[in-house]
């Protein structure tokens, strides 16, 4: 929880990420956060070098992230909510 301002109008910042341990190192698979991108603070997803807007309830992010990470580890396609 942070003080509300123009960069954080809802008064909270978050970052959820899924990491994968492979070949003796941790690699980030995916991250969802609400930091400043696209000129304003809004929810978005980091997949590889791509950043895309996403709209998901805060309460659902953990389950969504775990399921997406499992697909990525198995080599599946990105989820439709990432606008791919």
């Amino acid at each position: 929880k942070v003080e509300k301002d123009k960069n954080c109008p809802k008064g909270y910042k978050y970052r959820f990420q899924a990491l994968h341990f492979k070949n003796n190192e941790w690699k980030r698979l995916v991250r969802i956060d609400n930091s400043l991108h696209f000129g304003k603070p809004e929810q978005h997803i980091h997949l590889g070098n791509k950043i895309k807007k996403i709209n998901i309830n805060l309460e659902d992010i953990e389950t969504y992230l775990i399921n997406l990470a499992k697909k990525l580890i198995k080599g599946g396609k990105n989820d439709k909510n990432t606008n791919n």
Side-chain angles (χ1 to χ4, degrees):
K1 195 167 186 178
V2 296
E3 192 170 318
K4 291 183 182 182
D5 63 20
K6 67 178 183 169
N7 290 326
C8 195
K10 294 186 179 184
Y12 58 86
K13 290 185 181 182
Y14 58 86
R15 177 183 294 176
F16 294 85
Q17 60 183 5
L19 304 173
H20 184 231
F21 191 72
K22 185 176 181 178
N23 298 328
N24 252 1
E25 66 179 332
W26 287 102
K27 297 187 181 205
R28 185 181 76 203
L29 295 172
V30 59
R31 182 176 85 212
I32 298 174
D33 63 57
N34 68 339
S35 62
L36 187 64
H37 277 293
F38 312 111
K40 61 182 178 177
E42 59 187 357
Q43 191 180 65
H44 57 274
I45 187 167
H46 298 253
L47 282 168
N49 294 329
K50 295 181 180 180
I51 300 172
K52 299 194 178 219
K53 294 178 186 178
I54 188 172
N55 185 15
I56 188 169
N57 292 327
L58 193 59
E59 297 83 13
D60 298 328
I61 291 176
E62 182 179 11
T63 301
Y64 174 80
L65 196 66
I66 289 169
N67 290 332
L68 180 55
K70 287 178 182 178
K71 288 180 186 178
L72 293 170
I73 289 169
K74 291 180 181 179
K77 296 287 184 186
N78 297 334
D79 189 273
K80 62 183 177 186
N81 285 338
T82 63
N83 299 321
N84 283 343

